[in-house]
Amino acid sequence: MPLIYLIAGGTLLGLSTNLAKLASDFQLSALAFLFWSISGAALMLLMFAAFRHNLPPINRRTLEYYVTSGLLGVAGANLLFFSAIPHVGAGFVALIITLPPLLTYLGALACNVERFQISRAAGVMSALVGAMLLAWHKLSAPDAHYLWILLALIGPVLLAIGNLYRTLRWPEGVSSDALAPGMLIAAAVLLLIVGFMPGFTLSVPTDHYLPTLLIAVQAVVFAAQFLLLFLLQKSGGPVFLSLLGSVGAIVGVPVAIFLQGETAPEGLLLGTLLIGTGVALLNIGNIKRTARRGRPLRH
């Protein structure tokens, strides 16, 4: 089951980056698109939890979990990604979302969740070199948006921290389908607060129906994606979970290039090869063990 969760969740992640690109084409701000789609997803998952008589528990411990995980893994990272997409492209964002496995592994080493292995360390170095190659090509382009490239690169760091946090601070005895709506509600509240700040808006264009339709589609994608994220977190652990970005890139980059007409990022072939090699070295054996056992990895 973890492998199925990984493939399905990664596919939805790849589609999500391209929906954000479409939203920007229809003059829908990144904040408005993210806030309304996250709010819709939160409502769907809350209704699902109520149907299963498993509403998110409210106490000091769970509130900390909802707010922190909502900030790191939803509101913060996605606002950076969605805001950067109009400037750096959906393909580039889909590629850098492959970095969380490596950053998560480094964090897991620091937290003693993982033990050091030469092959996995080599994987980290390979993928980081690939990411640096892609970033260097992007930064050296004549029309490079330096600030947006750097801001986009902060997103994987937030995702990696969120992966580790959700595993290490998972409230005891609380199920995945109760935590997911709690996290999304907290993320929506955080985005709402940002919407009241100068220079931001939550308004949606009303002169045609496509922006609203895109929000509805993204809400469904988010609801399924974050429910799968928690199921995968529980069954596969933080490093296996962070492979979502790799699967998302397999879907997101071709869609951006062939269906949205984006130019392939410079250094795409070599960068992808290095990142792919790194991810393979990092996770070889773990995928087989996790898929076979269907429980968190132990080292």
Side-chain angles (χ1 to χ4, degrees):
M1 288 303 290
L3 190 58
I4 295 175
Y5 297 154
L6 176 67
I7 294 171
T11 299
L12 292 171
L13 179 59
L15 292 176
S16 180
T17 58
N18 282 279
L19 287 171
K21 174 68 181 300
L22 284 175
S24 68
D25 292 342
F26 288 106
Q27 308 306 310
L28 185 57
S29 74
L31 178 62
F33 182 57
L34 187 59
F35 168 74
W36 292 111
S37 55
I38 286 293
S39 299
L43 180 59
M44 292 179 202
L45 291 183
L46 191 62
M47 292 172 63
F48 178 70
F51 176 76
R52 292 171 57 88
H53 303 288
N54 194 23
L55 289 170
I58 304 296
N59 54 57
R60 183 176 179 180
R61 177 74 175 78
T62 57
L63 285 175
E64 172 225 308
Y65 190 89
Y66 299 149
V67 172
T68 307
S69 57
L71 173 63
L72 294 171
V74 185
N78 281 292
L79 185 56
L80 287 173
F81 290 142
F82 283 20
S83 298
I85 282 174
H87 307 281
V88 301
F92 179 75
V93 170
L95 280 171
I96 64 170
I97 294 178
T98 61
L99 289 176
L102 317 160
L103 302 174
T104 302
Y105 177 61
L106 292 175
L109 285 176
C111 296
N112 293 319
V113 177
E114 294 270 344
R115 68 182 183 187
F116 180 81
Q117 296 177 2
I118 293 177
S119 62
R120 306 192 86 186
V124 170
M125 292 304 299
S126 175
L128 286 178
V129 170
M132 290 173 63
L133 177 68
L134 289 169
W136 181 81
H137 278 295
K138 203 73 177 174
L139 288 167
S140 61
D143 58 344
H145 297 274
Y146 300 106
L147 177 61
W148 287 112
I149 292 170
L150 294 174
L151 287 175
L153 289 170
I154 295 173
V157 178
L158 296 181
L159 289 178
I161 297 172
N163 291 341
L164 287 168
Y165 173 84
R166 285 192 306 273
T167 291
L168 294 173
R169 296 289 291 167
W170 190 291
E172 186 176 353
V174 184
S175 67
S176 305
D177 52 355
L179 290 175
M183 180 183 74
L184 292 187
I185 291 170
V189 172
L190 292 170
L191 292 169
L192 179 64
I193 293 171
V194 175
F196 286 105
M197 295 181 180
F200 292 94
T201 179
L202 297 174
S203 64
V204 177
T206 56
D207 52 338
H208 48 84
Y209 68 91
L210 285 176
T212 304
L213 178 61
L214 280 173
I215 289 172
V217 173
Q218 182 68 78
V220 174
V221 169
F222 269 150
Q225 177 185 325
F226 285 109
L227 181 58
L228 287 167
L229 179 144
F230 272 97
L231 292 171
L232 185 58
Q233 180 104 44
K234 190 68 172 177
S235 60
V239 177
F240 190 79
L241 163 75
S242 59
L243 282 170
L244 281 170
S246 303
V247 179
I250 294 173
V251 175
V253 174
V255 169
I257 294 172
F258 296 111
L259 296 185
Q260 301 224 56
E262 286 192 4
T263 303
E266 291 290 331
L268 174 63
L269 183 59
L270 181 56
T272 302
L273 179 62
L274 288 168
I275 291 174
T277 300
V279 171
L281 287 172
L282 180 63
N283 292 280
I284 192 166
N286 283 355
I287 293 178
K288 291 181 180 179
R289 287 198 300 273
T290 306
R292 183 172 63 249
R293 296 176 184 176
R295 60 175 183 261
L297 301 174
R298 289 179 169 81
H299 298 270

